[in-house]
Amino acid sequence: MVSRLGSVDIFPPAQDYIYMDAASVGLSHAKGAEVISEWQRALAERGTVAFTEQDEVECLDNLNSAAAKLFNATAQDIAVASSETVLMASLAWAVMPEAGSNIVSTATTHPSTIYPWMRVAEHTGAELRWARANSALTIDPDQLEDLIDDNTSVVCLSQVEWGTGQLFDLKRFADAAHARGAICVVDATQSAGQVPIDVGSTGVDAVATSTYKWLCGPFGTGMMYVSPELQTRSPGIVGWRSHRDMWDFQADRLEYPDSAKRYEFGTMAYGTALGATVAANYLLDLTIERIADHNRTLSARLVEGLRELGAELLGPEEPAQRSATVAARFPGKDVADFTRTLKQADIIASLRRDFIRFSPHLYNSSDDIDQALSAIKAAL
Ligand SMILES: Cc1ncc(COP(=O)(O)O)c(C=O)c1O
């Protein structure tokens, strides 16, 4: 019997649903959501009296610090913006892989992981190299590593694949990239909050994430770690916050901060960063290791139960390459109908192409898994 790690006081919908959809949108930390509403109300009622110019300078700092803890970095190495996509786009233009070089990724990665790099490659003529998945949508890590050669400029991976939950060994790919003079860039939107990320021990050069999935935060906030070397580049996206003194307003020159903050560029829905900070600090207090253990126990139980029911499991079998996300096909079933049937039984998972993706998190218990398996059995 495994109880919830995150209580229903903090995640109220967990008592109404068997919510296994963190890979789509995680349940929000209730206090984090409240802080965002309070901030918005204060702004509506009192404008700059409530949110001063000094507040606007400092309002992202606490999230910088929380992200630093999450990635085992320092706050200097973190930038905050509205999403993973914008941060990755800014980084891709900062790096701008040139013609003759190649960018290595997986064909199963999320579009927002690699489209920014494809757009730059369209401009410069750099080559894209894809590791292809087998019929179970699994990427062979050896085949992925074999794509890296002396012309590789960037190895760009989602630490956890959005569909199957396949987990990549970041140290392996950062080492392989560095051995060829390339950098290793990571999208952690499907991993931050569910598996530990350590930029020091893995040696990755950049990690970007949005906050509304496994970090139990809101839409509208993303954060990115960048290595000291990447803090010397000119970001691809710049605006008034890009200058070292944002209230200086002298438009005829642009001097970047000597930190990752140079990747912060403009106004955003600042209140979301306050809510994301509450949620991230809550997860950090529990520890990501504990959450990862909890989630793995639940997903292993789910995998075993689904196998017994004859489902076709996708992604790798090796536990070291698995995260909490579990994807399955149900041969002979109309998968859209099947997902709807589960939803009617308050079991919330995602329909993706021809499979269903279950993504249990800290607010789930082993009872949830058993109830979901019973409902799936009945529906089958
Ligand atoms: C790996 C990954 N990256 C990025 C995103 C979405 O990016 P953004 O939050 O910037 O829209 C998703 C959403 O599913 C994702 O799975």
Side-chain angles (χ1 to χ4, degrees):
M1 168 71 190
V2 179
S3 319
R4 304 177 206 282
L5 259 189
S7 72
V8 293
D9 297 341
I10 294 168
F11 301 105
Q15 64 196 340
D16 302 322
Y17 302 102
I18 297 178
Y19 193 90
M20 296 198 285
D21 215 11
S24 180
V25 178
L27 293 182
S28 288
H29 188 289
K31 180 70 188 161
E34 211 175 290
V35 164
I36 297 168
S37 302
E38 280 163 9
W39 181 87
Q40 195 62 54
R41 190 173 316 113
L43 187 72
E45 287 171 357
R46 289 179 291 128
T48 56
V49 178
F51 187 60
T52 66
E53 293 187 353
Q54 193 55 29
D55 291 335
E56 193 160 357
V57 173
E58 294 168 1
C59 62
L60 305 179
D61 291 353
N62 288 337
L63 188 54
N64 284 88
S65 300
K69 283 190 206 134
L70 190 69
F71 299 150
N72 193 24
T74 65
Q76 282 261 111
D77 304 327
I78 305 292
V80 168
S82 59
S83 70
E84 176 275 332
T85 306
V86 288
L87 288 162
M88 193 63 102
S90 187
L91 181 68
W93 287 103
V95 173
M96 222 193 289
E98 56 192 26
S101 77
N102 64 69
I103 301 158
V104 171
S105 192
T106 71
T108 45
T109 203
H110 192 274
S112 282
T113 315
I114 198 64
Y115 280 0
W117 298 93
M118 286 170 75
R119 175 66 186 89
V120 172
E122 183 183 291
H123 177 75
T124 64
E127 177 200 353
L128 263 300
R129 287 192 177 173
W130 305 103
R132 304 276 168 195
N134 67 13
S135 60
L137 299 183
T138 307
I139 297 290
D140 175 353
D142 294 337
Q143 193 205 351
L144 174 60
E145 190 174 339
D146 284 348
L147 295 174
I148 304 169
D149 67 13
D150 287 342
N151 293 325
T152 301
S153 51
V154 181
V155 177
C156 178
L157 298 176
S158 180
Q159 183 180 12
V160 167
E161 294 280 20
W162 66 268
T164 60
Q166 179 166 6
L167 171 68
F168 293 110
D169 174 353
L170 294 187
K171 180 165 172 31
R172 172 179 181 174
F173 291 101
D175 286 351
H178 296 159
R180 304 299 188 114
I183 60 169
C184 181
V185 170
V186 177
D187 181 346
T189 306
Q190 287 292 356
S191 54
Q194 74 144 323
V195 293
I197 301 170
D198 185 333
V199 298
S201 67
T202 58
V204 295
D205 301 273
V207 179
T209 182
S210 283
T211 57
Y212 56 85
K213 295 183 191 283
W214 302 89
L215 287 169
C216 304
F219 285 122
T221 309
M223 52 251 201
M224 178 168 73
Y225 159 84
V226 285
S227 67
E229 199 283 318
L230 293 172
Q231 293 169 30
T232 64
R233 310 279 183 115
S234 298
I237 304 176
V238 295
W240 71 289
R241 279 191 86 100
S242 307
H243 187 71
R244 57 174 72 238
D245 171 10
M246 60 191 244
W247 290 112
D248 153 288
F249 287 133
Q250 197 177 317
D252 61 357
R253 50 92 183 92
L254 166 53
E255 291 160 9
Y256 301 113
D258 292 322
S259 72
K261 284 223 166 230
R262 61 176 53 206
Y263 289 89
E264 293 174 3
F265 54 88
T267 308
M268 55 180 276
Y270 296 122
T272 62
L274 308 181
T277 308
V278 171
N281 283 331
Y282 171 78
L283 300 184
L284 286 163
D285 284 347
L286 282 174
T287 78
I288 305 298
E289 285 76 8
R290 207 169 143 211
I291 295 169
D293 276 353
H294 172 89
N295 290 2
R296 282 224 173 89
T297 306
L298 297 187
S299 64
R301 194 173 178 123
L302 181 60
V303 164
E304 197 184 307
L306 287 172
R307 260 207 199 101
E308 280 167 13
L309 294 176
E312 183 191 333
L313 274 302
L314 305 181
E317 291 197 7
E318 298 78 8
Q321 287 186 56
R322 296 200 58 88
S323 63
T325 302
V326 174
R329 294 188 182 119
F330 294 87
K333 278 275 154 196
D334 177 321
V335 80
D337 263 3
F338 196 53
T339 315
R340 264 192 302 275
T341 307
L342 294 184
K343 195 167 181 185
Q344 278 157 10
D346 292 330
I347 296 162
I348 313 301
S350 303
L351 167 66
R352 290 288 180 272
R353 298 188 184 151
D354 64 344
F355 60 90
I356 303 181
R357 181 185 63 185
F358 303 90
S359 43
H361 201 7
L362 74 165
Y363 36 71
N364 292 113
S365 64
S366 54
D367 265 358
D368 284 354
I369 304 295
D370 295 345
Q371 279 186 51
L373 286 167
S374 301
I376 292 167
K377 188 172 180 185
L380 285 170

